[in-house]
mmCIF file of all heavy atoms in Angstrom:
data_model
loop_
_atom_site.group_PDB
_atom_site.id
_atom_site.type_symbol
_atom_site.label_atom_id
_atom_site.label_comp_id
_atom_site.label_asym_id
_atom_site.label_seq_id
_atom_site.Cartn_x
_atom_site.Cartn_y
_atom_site.Cartn_z
ATOM 1 N N LYS C 1 405.141 112.836 50.965
ATOM 2 C CA LYS C 1 404.706 112.172 49.712
ATOM 3 C C LYS C 1 405.628 111.051 49.336
ATOM 4 O O LYS C 1 405.194 109.962 48.863
ATOM 5 C CB LYS C 1 404.595 113.198 48.601
ATOM 6 C CG LYS C 1 404.121 112.626 47.279
ATOM 7 C CD LYS C 1 404.016 113.697 46.200
ATOM 8 C CE LYS C 1 403.562 113.080 44.899
ATOM 9 N NZ LYS C 1 403.496 114.090 43.800
ATOM 10 N N GLU C 2 406.909 111.260 49.518
ATOM 11 C CA GLU C 2 407.911 110.261 49.123
ATOM 12 C C GLU C 2 408.239 109.316 50.312
ATOM 13 O O GLU C 2 409.062 108.415 50.150
ATOM 14 C CB GLU C 2 409.215 110.952 48.735
ATOM 15 C CG GLU C 2 409.125 111.709 47.399
ATOM 16 C CD GLU C 2 408.921 110.733 46.202
ATOM 17 O OE1 GLU C 2 409.479 109.615 46.242
ATOM 18 O OE2 GLU C 2 408.243 111.134 45.255
ATOM 19 N N GLN C 3 407.598 109.522 51.435
ATOM 20 C CA GLN C 3 407.834 108.705 52.654
ATOM 21 C C GLN C 3 409.304 108.750 53.047
ATOM 22 O O GLN C 3 409.911 107.704 53.348
ATOM 23 C CB GLN C 3 407.343 107.267 52.450
ATOM 24 C CG GLN C 3 405.840 107.163 52.309
ATOM 25 C CD GLN C 3 405.375 105.733 52.198
ATOM 26 O OE1 GLN C 3 405.978 104.882 51.532
ATOM 27 N NE2 GLN C 3 404.316 105.436 52.926
ATOM 28 N N VAL C 4 409.870 109.928 53.023
ATOM 29 C CA VAL C 4 411.289 110.153 53.394
ATOM 30 C C VAL C 4 411.406 110.902 54.636
ATOM 31 O O VAL C 4 410.660 111.837 54.907
ATOM 32 C CB VAL C 4 412.006 110.927 52.220
ATOM 33 C CG1 VAL C 4 413.371 111.389 52.654
ATOM 34 C CG2 VAL C 4 412.080 110.049 50.933
ATOM 35 N N LYS C 5 412.298 110.485 55.531
ATOM 36 C CA LYS C 5 412.597 111.187 56.739
ATOM 37 C C LYS C 5 413.912 111.935 56.552
ATOM 38 O O LYS C 5 414.848 111.462 55.902
ATOM 39 C CB LYS C 5 412.722 110.198 57.932
ATOM 40 C CG LYS C 5 411.553 109.283 58.116
ATOM 41 C CD LYS C 5 410.236 110.011 58.297
ATOM 42 C CE LYS C 5 409.112 109.045 58.477
ATOM 43 N NZ LYS C 5 407.778 109.708 58.449
ATOM 44 N N ALA C 6 413.975 113.128 57.103
ATOM 45 C CA ALA C 6 415.172 113.979 56.975
ATOM 46 C C ALA C 6 415.575 114.512 58.302
ATOM 47 O O ALA C 6 414.962 114.246 59.333
ATOM 48 C CB ALA C 6 414.889 115.125 55.970
ATOM 49 N N THR C 7 416.665 115.271 58.321
ATOM 50 C CA THR C 7 417.195 115.894 59.536
ATOM 51 C C THR C 7 417.141 117.425 59.377
ATOM 52 O O THR C 7 417.702 117.934 58.348
ATOM 53 C CB THR C 7 418.595 115.453 59.838
ATOM 54 O OG1 THR C 7 418.574 114.028 59.997
ATOM 55 C CG2 THR C 7 419.143 116.078 61.113
ATOM 56 N N PHE C 8 416.507 118.133 60.311
ATOM 57 C CA PHE C 8 416.388 119.572 60.217
ATOM 58 C C PHE C 8 417.297 120.230 61.216
ATOM 59 O O PHE C 8 417.151 120.033 62.438
ATOM 60 C CB PHE C 8 414.964 119.995 60.424
ATOM 61 C CG PHE C 8 414.042 119.722 59.265
ATOM 62 C CD1 PHE C 8 413.524 118.433 59.038
ATOM 63 C CD2 PHE C 8 413.709 120.718 58.363
ATOM 64 C CE1 PHE C 8 412.714 118.145 57.963
ATOM 65 C CE2 PHE C 8 412.889 120.451 57.264
ATOM 66 C CZ PHE C 8 412.387 119.156 57.049
ATOM 67 N N CYS C 9 418.257 121.003 60.742
ATOM 68 C CA CYS C 9 419.196 121.747 61.596
ATOM 69 C C CYS C 9 418.602 123.134 61.844
ATOM 70 O O CYS C 9 418.699 124.011 60.968
ATOM 71 C CB CYS C 9 420.580 121.815 60.917
ATOM 72 S SG CYS C 9 421.327 120.175 60.676
ATOM 73 N N LEU C 10 418.061 123.318 62.999
ATOM 74 C CA LEU C 10 417.247 124.553 63.270
ATOM 75 C C LEU C 10 418.087 125.632 63.968
ATOM 76 O O LEU C 10 418.908 125.380 64.819
ATOM 77 C CB LEU C 10 416.078 124.165 64.206
ATOM 78 C CG LEU C 10 415.099 123.098 63.675
ATOM 79 C CD1 LEU C 10 413.914 122.975 64.633
ATOM 80 C CD2 LEU C 10 414.650 123.359 62.262
ATOM 81 N N VAL C 11 417.786 126.842 63.567
ATOM 82 C CA VAL C 11 418.333 128.019 64.213
ATOM 83 C C VAL C 11 417.376 128.398 65.340
ATOM 84 O O VAL C 11 416.134 128.456 65.147
ATOM 85 C CB VAL C 11 418.504 129.162 63.201
ATOM 86 C CG1 VAL C 11 418.890 130.482 63.889
ATOM 87 C CG2 VAL C 11 419.588 128.814 62.196
ATOM 88 N N GLY C 12 417.909 128.688 66.514
ATOM 89 C CA GLY C 12 417.062 128.950 67.682
ATOM 90 C C GLY C 12 416.075 130.089 67.529
ATOM 91 O O GLY C 12 414.941 129.977 67.947
ATOM 92 N N THR C 13 416.508 131.201 66.889
ATOM 93 C CA THR C 13 415.578 132.336 66.724
ATOM 94 C C THR C 13 414.381 131.929 65.867
ATOM 95 O O THR C 13 413.277 132.345 66.062
ATOM 96 C CB THR C 13 416.315 133.519 66.102
ATOM 97 O OG1 THR C 13 416.965 133.095 64.907
ATOM 98 C CG2 THR C 13 417.330 134.109 67.082
ATOM 99 N N GLN C 14 414.637 131.125 64.825
ATOM 100 C CA GLN C 14 413.558 130.625 63.938
ATOM 101 C C GLN C 14 412.653 129.645 64.658
ATOM 102 O O GLN C 14 411.455 129.682 64.464
ATOM 103 C CB GLN C 14 414.169 130.020 62.685
ATOM 104 C CG GLN C 14 414.810 130.986 61.716
ATOM 105 C CD GLN C 14 413.837 132.057 61.252
ATOM 106 O OE1 GLN C 14 413.888 133.207 61.690
ATOM 107 N NE2 GLN C 14 412.939 131.645 60.370
ATOM 108 N N ALA C 15 413.234 128.803 65.481
ATOM 109 C CA ALA C 15 412.463 127.874 66.254
ATOM 110 C C ALA C 15 411.500 128.599 67.238
ATOM 111 O O ALA C 15 410.337 128.233 67.450
ATOM 112 C CB ALA C 15 413.340 126.898 67.053
ATOM 113 N N ARG C 16 412.033 129.681 67.849
ATOM 114 C CA ARG C 16 411.200 130.481 68.753
ATOM 115 C C ARG C 16 410.085 131.216 68.001
ATOM 116 O O ARG C 16 408.986 131.324 68.515
ATOM 117 C CB ARG C 16 412.087 131.483 69.490
ATOM 118 C CG ARG C 16 411.340 132.239 70.598
ATOM 119 C CD ARG C 16 412.250 133.206 71.319
ATOM 120 N NE ARG C 16 412.668 134.315 70.463
ATOM 121 C CZ ARG C 16 413.534 135.272 70.892
ATOM 122 N NH1 ARG C 16 414.066 135.193 72.107
ATOM 123 N NH2 ARG C 16 413.888 136.240 70.081
ATOM 124 N N ARG C 17 410.378 131.686 66.808
ATOM 125 C CA ARG C 17 409.363 132.388 66.005
ATOM 126 C C ARG C 17 408.234 131.444 65.491
ATOM 127 O O ARG C 17 407.111 131.831 65.346
ATOM 128 C CB ARG C 17 410.014 133.104 64.811
ATOM 129 C CG ARG C 17 410.819 134.305 65.147
ATOM 130 C CD ARG C 17 411.216 135.041 63.843
ATOM 131 N NE ARG C 17 412.080 136.155 64.162
ATOM 132 C CZ ARG C 17 413.413 136.161 64.082
ATOM 133 N NH1 ARG C 17 414.037 135.030 63.700
ATOM 134 N NH2 ARG C 17 414.093 137.233 64.393
ATOM 135 N N HIS C 18 408.662 130.210 65.207
ATOM 136 C CA HIS C 18 407.709 129.298 64.525
ATOM 137 C C HIS C 18 407.629 127.947 65.237
ATOM 138 O O HIS C 18 407.946 126.898 64.660
ATOM 139 C CB HIS C 18 408.191 129.114 63.084
ATOM 140 C CG HIS C 18 408.376 130.390 62.334
ATOM 141 N ND1 HIS C 18 407.337 131.227 62.024
ATOM 142 C CD2 HIS C 18 409.528 130.997 61.921
ATOM 143 C CE1 HIS C 18 407.825 132.299 61.376
ATOM 144 N NE2 HIS C 18 409.130 132.177 61.309
ATOM 145 N N PRO C 19 407.133 127.936 66.502
ATOM 146 C CA PRO C 19 407.025 126.632 67.204
ATOM 147 C C PRO C 19 406.088 125.677 66.539
ATOM 148 O O PRO C 19 406.234 124.485 66.702
ATOM 149 C CB PRO C 19 406.512 127.106 68.600
ATOM 150 C CG PRO C 19 405.867 128.403 68.378
ATOM 151 C CD PRO C 19 406.659 129.081 67.260
ATOM 152 N N ASP C 20 405.109 126.190 65.811
ATOM 153 C CA ASP C 20 404.170 125.302 65.124
ATOM 154 C C ASP C 20 404.898 124.462 64.056
ATOM 155 O O ASP C 20 404.560 123.255 63.858
ATOM 156 C CB ASP C 20 403.049 126.090 64.461
ATOM 157 C CG ASP C 20 403.597 127.160 63.488
ATOM 158 O OD1 ASP C 20 404.618 127.778 63.804
ATOM 159 O OD2 ASP C 20 402.937 127.408 62.446
ATOM 160 N N LEU C 21 405.916 125.021 63.437
ATOM 161 C CA LEU C 21 406.631 124.287 62.443
ATOM 162 C C LEU C 21 407.599 123.287 63.072
ATOM 163 O O LEU C 21 407.855 122.202 62.517
ATOM 164 C CB LEU C 21 407.416 125.245 61.521
ATOM 165 C CG LEU C 21 406.540 126.157 60.616
ATOM 166 C CD1 LEU C 21 407.434 127.069 59.797
ATOM 167 C CD2 LEU C 21 405.638 125.299 59.724
ATOM 168 N N VAL C 22 408.134 123.635 64.239
ATOM 169 C CA VAL C 22 408.952 122.686 64.977
ATOM 170 C C VAL C 22 408.131 121.455 65.313
ATOM 171 O O VAL C 22 408.569 120.317 65.187
ATOM 172 C CB VAL C 22 409.499 123.331 66.284
ATOM 173 C CG1 VAL C 22 410.372 122.325 67.041
ATOM 174 C CG2 VAL C 22 410.352 124.580 65.902
ATOM 175 N N LYS C 23 406.875 121.669 65.753
ATOM 176 C CA LYS C 23 405.989 120.561 66.031
ATOM 177 C C LYS C 23 405.717 119.734 64.771
ATOM 178 O O LYS C 23 405.669 118.486 64.838
ATOM 179 C CB LYS C 23 404.663 121.096 66.583
ATOM 180 C CG LYS C 23 404.763 121.733 67.974
ATOM 181 C CD LYS C 23 403.422 122.296 68.404
ATOM 182 C CE LYS C 23 403.542 122.981 69.747
ATOM 183 N NZ LYS C 23 402.256 123.544 70.203
ATOM 184 N N LYS C 24 405.510 120.377 63.630
ATOM 185 C CA LYS C 24 405.201 119.649 62.397
ATOM 186 C C LYS C 24 406.393 118.794 61.968
ATOM 187 O O LYS C 24 406.245 117.711 61.420
ATOM 188 C CB LYS C 24 404.811 120.613 61.303
ATOM 189 C CG LYS C 24 403.406 121.208 61.502
ATOM 190 C CD LYS C 24 403.017 122.110 60.352
ATOM 191 C CE LYS C 24 401.616 122.670 60.553
ATOM 192 N NZ LYS C 24 401.217 123.603 59.442
ATOM 193 N N ILE C 25 407.610 119.322 62.190
ATOM 194 C CA ILE C 25 408.803 118.557 61.853
ATOM 195 C C ILE C 25 408.829 117.261 62.708
ATOM 196 O O ILE C 25 409.076 116.178 62.212
ATOM 197 C CB ILE C 25 410.080 119.379 62.104
ATOM 198 C CG1 ILE C 25 410.157 120.501 61.056
ATOM 199 C CG2 ILE C 25 411.316 118.529 62.065
ATOM 200 C CD1 ILE C 25 411.272 121.519 61.332
ATOM 201 N N ALA C 26 408.545 117.412 63.985
ATOM 202 C CA ALA C 26 408.504 116.242 64.868
ATOM 203 C C ALA C 26 407.396 115.306 64.502
ATOM 204 O O ALA C 26 407.597 114.061 64.514
ATOM 205 C CB ALA C 26 408.367 116.710 66.337
ATOM 206 N N GLU C 27 406.258 115.833 64.199
ATOM 207 C CA GLU C 27 405.104 114.995 63.820
ATOM 208 C C GLU C 27 405.367 114.203 62.545
ATOM 209 O O GLU C 27 404.789 113.100 62.349
ATOM 210 C CB GLU C 27 403.849 115.858 63.672
ATOM 211 C CG GLU C 27 403.318 116.411 64.973
ATOM 212 C CD GLU C 27 402.296 117.494 64.770
ATOM 213 O OE1 GLU C 27 401.990 117.863 63.625
ATOM 214 O OE2 GLU C 27 401.743 117.963 65.802
ATOM 215 N N GLY C 28 406.217 114.751 61.690
ATOM 216 C CA GLY C 28 406.586 114.023 60.453
ATOM 217 C C GLY C 28 407.607 112.946 60.652
ATOM 218 O O GLY C 28 407.967 112.246 59.691
ATOM 219 N N GLY C 29 408.087 112.809 61.891
ATOM 220 C CA GLY C 29 409.070 111.739 62.162
ATOM 221 C C GLY C 29 410.496 112.103 61.788
ATOM 222 O O GLY C 29 411.380 111.277 61.682
ATOM 223 N N HIS C 30 410.759 113.437 61.596
ATOM 224 C CA HIS C 30 412.083 113.864 61.229
ATOM 225 C C HIS C 30 412.947 114.135 62.448
ATOM 226 O O HIS C 30 412.464 114.242 63.566
ATOM 227 C CB HIS C 30 411.972 115.129 60.370
ATOM 228 C CG HIS C 30 411.069 114.966 59.188
ATOM 229 N ND1 HIS C 30 411.410 114.177 58.113
ATOM 230 C CD2 HIS C 30 409.831 115.423 58.915
ATOM 231 C CE1 HIS C 30 410.413 114.189 57.206
ATOM 232 N NE2 HIS C 30 409.439 114.921 57.702
ATOM 233 N N SER C 31 414.243 114.250 62.237
ATOM 234 C CA SER C 31 415.198 114.446 63.326
ATOM 235 C C SER C 31 415.557 115.932 63.496
ATOM 236 O O SER C 31 415.496 116.694 62.530
ATOM 237 C CB SER C 31 416.479 113.673 63.022
ATOM 238 O OG SER C 31 416.209 112.300 62.866
ATOM 239 N N PHE C 32 415.974 116.281 64.705
ATOM 240 C CA PHE C 32 416.410 117.633 64.992
ATOM 241 C C PHE C 32 417.911 117.706 65.135
ATOM 242 O O PHE C 32 418.559 116.802 65.669
ATOM 243 C CB PHE C 32 415.782 118.118 66.307
ATOM 244 C CG PHE C 32 414.309 118.378 66.230
ATOM 245 C CD1 PHE C 32 413.399 117.716 67.041
ATOM 246 C CD2 PHE C 32 413.829 119.366 65.351
ATOM 247 C CE1 PHE C 32 412.052 117.984 66.999
ATOM 248 C CE2 PHE C 32 412.458 119.622 65.276
ATOM 249 C CZ PHE C 32 411.576 118.912 66.097
ATOM 250 N N CYS C 33 418.456 118.847 64.721
ATOM 251 C CA CYS C 33 419.859 119.144 64.858
ATOM 252 C C CYS C 33 419.959 120.600 65.295
ATOM 253 O O CYS C 33 419.223 121.490 64.818
ATOM 254 C CB CYS C 33 420.575 118.939 63.526
ATOM 255 S SG CYS C 33 422.265 119.571 63.369
ATOM 256 N N ASN C 34 420.857 120.904 66.226
ATOM 257 C CA ASN C 34 421.086 122.250 66.719
ATOM 258 C C ASN C 34 422.009 122.992 65.767
ATOM 259 O O ASN C 34 423.112 122.549 65.480
ATOM 260 C CB ASN C 34 421.708 122.113 68.115
ATOM 261 C CG ASN C 34 421.908 123.480 68.792
ATOM 262 O OD1 ASN C 34 422.356 124.457 68.200
ATOM 263 N ND2 ASN C 34 421.639 123.524 70.078
ATOM 264 N N HIS C 35 421.522 124.157 65.269
ATOM 265 C CA HIS C 35 422.329 124.921 64.301
ATOM 266 C C HIS C 35 422.654 126.316 64.845
ATOM 267 O O HIS C 35 422.795 127.269 64.105
ATOM 268 C CB HIS C 35 421.603 125.040 62.994
ATOM 269 C CG HIS C 35 422.459 125.427 61.823
ATOM 270 N ND1 HIS C 35 423.775 125.026 61.677
ATOM 271 C CD2 HIS C 35 422.196 126.198 60.719
ATOM 272 C CE1 HIS C 35 424.263 125.502 60.540
ATOM 273 N NE2 HIS C 35 423.326 126.266 59.950
ATOM 274 N N SER C 36 422.719 126.418 66.203
ATOM 275 C CA SER C 36 423.034 127.615 66.940
ATOM 276 C C SER C 36 421.842 128.547 67.085
ATOM 277 O O SER C 36 420.788 128.361 66.461
ATOM 278 C CB SER C 36 424.195 128.405 66.302
ATOM 279 O OG SER C 36 423.791 129.237 65.265
ATOM 280 N N TRP C 37 421.976 129.540 67.950
ATOM 281 C CA TRP C 37 420.894 130.467 68.250
ATOM 282 C C TRP C 37 420.584 131.393 67.130
ATOM 283 O O TRP C 37 419.412 131.542 66.676
ATOM 284 C CB TRP C 37 421.162 131.228 69.558
ATOM 285 C CG TRP C 37 420.067 132.181 69.898
ATOM 286 C CD1 TRP C 37 420.102 133.563 69.821
ATOM 287 C CD2 TRP C 37 418.735 131.858 70.287
ATOM 288 N NE1 TRP C 37 418.897 134.069 70.164
ATOM 289 C CE2 TRP C 37 418.054 133.050 70.467
ATOM 290 C CE3 TRP C 37 418.065 130.622 70.523
ATOM 291 C CZ2 TRP C 37 416.706 133.111 70.901
ATOM 292 C CZ3 TRP C 37 416.757 130.677 70.922
ATOM 293 C CH2 TRP C 37 416.092 131.893 71.124
ATOM 294 N N ASN C 38 421.591 132.088 66.594
ATOM 295 C CA ASN C 38 421.300 133.058 65.535
ATOM 296 C C ASN C 38 422.330 132.991 64.390
ATOM 297 O O ASN C 38 422.635 133.963 63.774
ATOM 298 C CB ASN C 38 421.265 134.483 66.119
ATOM 299 C CG ASN C 38 422.555 134.868 66.758
ATOM 300 O OD1 ASN C 38 423.527 134.091 66.787
ATOM 301 N ND2 ASN C 38 422.596 136.078 67.303
ATOM 302 N N HIS C 39 422.835 131.771 64.157
ATOM 303 C CA HIS C 39 423.700 131.500 63.032
ATOM 304 C C HIS C 39 425.004 132.364 63.065
ATOM 305 O O HIS C 39 425.437 132.969 62.088
ATOM 306 C CB HIS C 39 422.993 131.768 61.685
ATOM 307 C CG HIS C 39 423.518 130.904 60.544
ATOM 308 N ND1 HIS C 39 424.578 131.354 59.732
ATOM 309 C CD2 HIS C 39 423.207 129.709 60.083
ATOM 310 C CE1 HIS C 39 424.847 130.423 58.831
ATOM 311 N NE2 HIS C 39 424.035 129.408 59.024
ATOM 312 N N ASP C 40 425.590 132.334 64.238
ATOM 313 C CA ASP C 40 426.819 133.072 64.487
ATOM 314 C C ASP C 40 427.982 132.308 63.889
ATOM 315 O O ASP C 40 428.381 131.255 64.372
ATOM 316 C CB ASP C 40 426.999 133.262 65.972
ATOM 317 C CG ASP C 40 428.288 133.975 66.353
ATOM 318 O OD1 ASP C 40 429.018 134.424 65.454
ATOM 319 O OD2 ASP C 40 428.552 134.134 67.577
ATOM 320 N N LEU C 41 428.559 132.865 62.796
ATOM 321 C CA LEU C 41 429.643 132.137 62.116
ATOM 322 C C LEU C 41 430.900 132.080 62.955
ATOM 323 O O LEU C 41 431.784 131.242 62.644
ATOM 324 C CB LEU C 41 429.958 132.895 60.787
ATOM 325 C CG LEU C 41 428.890 132.824 59.708
ATOM 326 C CD1 LEU C 41 429.279 133.693 58.529
ATOM 327 C CD2 LEU C 41 428.665 131.390 59.241
#
């Protein structure tokens, strides 16, 4: 709505659970960032 692009730092387990949302992030023209597989501090 605001025509803003952002960067999404994705956790691998969430990306695997929700590939449809990963696609929507890409379709929106946003950037990807690796935030580890399962948020291991």
Side-chain angles (χ1 to χ4, degrees):
K1 180 179 179 180
E2 290 293 326
Q3 294 185 316
V4 168
K5 307 302 180 188
T7 300
F8 286 80
C9 298
L10 303 186
V11 170
T13 53
Q14 290 300 106
R16 186 178 67 183
R17 287 187 183 100
H18 307 291
D20 56 322
L21 293 179
V22 179
K23 291 178 183 177
K24 288 183 179 179
I25 290 170
E27 290 168 356
H30 306 290
S31 302
F32 289 120
C33 168
N34 184 317
H35 198 37
S36 83
W37 178 251
N38 60 2
H39 208 271
D40 179 3
L41 292 174

